[in-house]
Amino acid sequence: MSRLIVISNRVTQASEGKATGGLAVGVHDALHETGGVWLGWNGEVAAEDAPAPIATQQRGNITYATFPLTQRDYDRYYRGFSNAVLWPTFHYRADISRFRREDYEGYLNVNRDFARRLAPLLQPDDVIWVHDYHLMAFGRYCRELGITNRIGFFLHIPFPGPEVFRTIPTHRALAQALCAYDLVGFQTDVDEQAFTDYCVRCLDAVPGAQGLLAQGRRVRTGTYPIGIDPDAVTAMSRTNRSRQVVALKSGLADRKLIISVDRLDYSKGLIERFNAFEQLLEHGPGHRGAVSFVQIAPSSRSDVLGYREIRRELERTAGRINGRWGELAWTPLRYMNRSYERSVLMPLLRASQVGFVTPLRDGMNLVAKEYVAAQPPDDPGVLVLSEFAGAARELEGGALLVNPYDTEGMALALDRALRMPLAERASRYEVLMRRLRAHDLTHWRDTFLADLQSGTKASPQSAGEPAALV
Ligand code: ADP
Ligand code: F6P
């Protein structure tokens, strides 16, 4: 059997427990079953300016092969091009993208460096699975090194419409680089279509049954919505022995609870959500004193432009709402700027009558799925979900879909969720659980890997002529 080699920017080891981010949670759970190697950044910035060697660590059936980034690489590749250009643009925030040519060059250098680090570890039958926007050019460099193994790429975040993608000055080179992969996977058909449309329009690619003919080779595309392990989440949500969960429940008395859990990111629609909660209180006097809203949002990428601002704004808004509506015995909104162990988080989701998940744009959003799986079947809560989360494609019909730009609409949906009779909640829950089971994490991994392995293997010739990336 061939080995699975997973490559991602950040590698998070299982023992760290608090791993935030869909990629960390999804990849770890997926690798846990198959075993294999996980190669990438260990999250540290080296004191030395020279690239540090790989450190390997074996845990169960997973070999972690990690290394630190140099300060320069961190600034240009991670903080710069990945998170100040690709992240905002792919989330339709081209207005806050900050393109600098030296960051882009830094991005390419690190992609090349990842490929060089992988090359000596490879065995001929290894299957390589690359994750997310940090490594769009990695496959191209592997091909330049003569690596002919199957290489698949999965994008965890949205792929923007062609007109938005074109705002990145190096859009063409990036899309060409993606064509060096054998299979490029997306969260939704909308993302896949956007990529195909761009390639047809700007790279003169020709779509066909076997994928896109682009850059002298065939690249297949597919839609693979990432899932969760619903039974594992349900089981974890039941073990609510933790001090925090007990304290929260006793502090609530008979009040209902609305919960949101996100990385502190401007794409998650946190301010809009706070404002919707305020409207609920303003227009629904019955909810005052009867419902609390808990927002858990640990800081993320706090040294990247845009992230410090959102944190300050959130603190201001939370303060204002509590100042206006709070009472001695009731705090309407509790905003926690910290991370929790998943074993605490899942019981918290279970204890909440409404899961309020309203990103302005999101590749998938695993919290939405975790919220559903954490519910008690005999008294489930209601998921209020943004129509701009990838998860909405699957959860439509069970969740209450909202437009996160419509504050009033979100407040009305909260009101409806809080009043929903048990029979309706239960039937919506059943619909949702069926979908989560049909498209769980194993299904995501197995369908992607099966498609990757079923294609024709790349030969040095079919790897295409290395094109200039700058
Ligand atoms: P993203 O990948 O953009 O962060 P997702 O919702 O897809 O968004 O994935 C987030 C993952 O990280 C979920 O599995 C969630 O449980 C976890 N997570 C998010 N916030 C926290 C937190 N405060 N503490 C622990 N885990 C968190
Ligand atoms: O899932 C989206 C994602 O960007 C992952 O690629 C990433 O690991 C995670 O969010 C957390 O972000 P970061 O690694 O920048 O802290």
Side-chain angles (χ1 to χ4, degrees):
M1 224 183 77
S2 46
R3 264 192 329 172
L4 177 61
I5 313 277
V6 168
I7 320 281
S8 67
N9 167 57
R10 193 189 285 280
V11 173
T12 316
Q13 299 203 13
S15 60
E16 289 167 22
K18 287 191 214 168
T20 45
L23 188 152
V25 173
V27 169
H28 177 268
D29 289 0
L31 253 181
H32 182 64
E33 262 183 53
T34 55
V37 178
W38 190 356
L39 177 98
W41 178 37
N42 64 8
E44 286 166 19
V45 176
E48 307 287 317
D49 220 23
I54 292 181
T56 56
Q57 210 175 354
Q58 186 71 36
R59 284 187 189 231
N61 55 358
I62 307 178
T63 308
Y64 295 91
T66 61
F67 47 88
L69 290 177
T70 65
Q71 184 67 51
R72 191 183 160 94
D73 287 342
Y74 176 83
D75 289 341
R76 294 180 176 187
Y77 150 80
Y78 175 76
R79 206 156 67 87
F81 192 69
S82 296
N83 286 315
V85 176
L86 293 177
W87 180 272
T89 309
F90 280 37
H91 288 86
Y92 287 79
R93 290 298 310 273
D95 59 312
I96 57 167
S97 165
R98 293 284 171 274
F99 179 82
R100 298 193 320 158
R101 207 152 284 276
E102 65 187 37
D103 290 344
Y104 178 61
E105 278 160 18
Y107 177 85
L108 296 182
N109 285 340
V110 171
N111 274 248
R112 189 190 299 113
D113 181 54
F114 268 59
R116 285 185 182 150
R117 285 177 183 272
L118 173 68
L121 307 177
L122 268 185
Q123 294 167 14
D125 279 340
D126 287 345
V127 171
I128 305 167
W129 192 5
V130 183
H131 293 263
D132 233 354
Y133 60 101
H134 316 83
L135 296 169
M136 288 167 72
F138 169 85
R140 163 66 72 188
Y141 289 118
C142 286
R143 299 304 183 210
E144 280 187 28
L145 290 172
I147 294 172
T148 57
N149 298 56
R150 286 179 213 285
I151 317 180
F153 175 87
F154 183 77
L155 184 67
H156 287 251
I157 66 175
F159 193 88
E163 285 310 293
V164 178
F165 184 56
R166 269 166 23 89
T167 63
I168 301 174
T170 53
H171 58 91
R172 195 178 299 275
L174 284 170
Q176 283 170 344
L178 277 180
C179 295
Y181 288 106
D182 294 303
L183 175 65
V184 180
F186 299 91
Q187 297 274 27
T188 68
D189 52 348
V190 174
D191 303 309
E192 183 185 1
Q193 191 62 50
F195 175 68
T196 305
D197 286 350
Y198 171 86
C199 290
V200 169
R201 194 154 6 128
C202 299
L203 301 186
D204 293 327
V206 181
Q210 297 300 313
L212 283 171
L213 184 58
Q215 304 298 296
R217 68 190 303 276
R218 246 175 229 293
V219 53
R220 285 174 297 138
T221 61
T223 297
Y224 309 90
I226 190 170
I228 59 167
D229 179 346
D231 294 333
V233 170
T234 308
M236 206 183 282
S237 74
R238 286 209 190 102
T239 55
N240 56 357
R241 284 180 295 254
S242 114
R243 205 168 31 82
Q244 286 108 314
V245 181
V246 174
L248 176 83
K249 280 191 173 167
S250 66
L252 278 175
D254 282 337
R255 283 186 199 110
K256 290 194 169 169
L257 187 61
I258 300 171
I259 196 163
S260 299
V261 179
D262 313 76
R263 276 182 310 99
L264 185 43
D265 194 294
Y266 50 80
S267 64
K268 301 289 184 183
L270 300 165
I271 303 287
E272 291 78 357
R273 189 182 297 166
F274 281 19
N275 290 335
F277 177 65
E278 183 173 27
Q279 279 225 3
L280 175 78
L281 301 181
E282 191 155 4
H283 299 301
H287 294 301
R288 291 179 211 155
V291 60
S292 287
F293 174 25
V294 168
Q295 169 71 64
I296 296 172
S299 295
S300 166
R301 309 174 194 159
S302 21
D303 52 357
V304 177
L305 203 77
Y307 285 80
R308 271 189 302 268
E309 254 162 58
I310 179 85
R311 181 172 169 185
R312 271 197 299 272
E313 205 182 335
L314 214 53
E315 281 163 4
R316 262 199 312 272
T317 312
R320 184 179 56 70
I321 293 174
N322 281 333
R324 181 171 173 204
W325 300 100
E327 291 164 13
L328 285 178
W330 172 58
T331 308
L333 196 164
R334 295 188 217 181
Y335 158 50
M336 265 93 75
N337 178 225
R338 53 162 291 187
S339 183
Y340 285 92
E341 297 284 341
R342 289 173 62 72
S343 58
V344 175
L345 213 52
M346 299 308 136
L348 283 179
L349 296 180
R350 187 181 183 91
S352 309
Q353 284 65 43
V354 180
F356 197 19
V357 186
T358 55
L360 302 176
R361 216 28 98 156
D362 213 331
M364 176 52 61
N365 199 295
L366 290 184
V367 175
K369 295 186 171 182
E370 289 165 350
Y371 175 76
V372 173
Q375 293 312 296
D378 56 344
D379 187 18
V382 180
L383 176 64
V384 175
L385 177 64
S386 163
E387 61 183 280
F388 300 121
R393 311 279 299 165
E394 291 165 82
L395 303 186
E396 193 172 3
L400 295 183
L401 291 196
V402 292
N403 179 336
Y405 297 94
D406 175 7
T407 313
E408 213 181 308
M410 285 198 284
L412 286 171
L414 283 180
D415 179 68
R416 183 173 167 202
L418 288 163
R419 294 170 191 274
M420 194 178 282
L422 174 60
E424 184 179 350
R425 285 188 276 127
S427 78
R428 285 174 178 273
Y429 167 80
E430 270 176 35
V431 168
L432 292 171
M433 283 302 281
R434 262 202 306 278
R435 302 211 187 133
L436 292 190
R437 290 219 162 85
H439 283 113
D440 66 1
L441 191 67
T442 307
H443 181 263
W444 170 69
R445 181 198 60 208
D446 291 351
T447 49
F448 184 92
L449 291 177
D451 283 356
L452 179 58
Q453 279 168 301
S454 72
T456 20
K457 203 173 168 186
S459 64
Q461 291 85 343
S462 71
E465 282 304 301
L469 281 166
V470 191

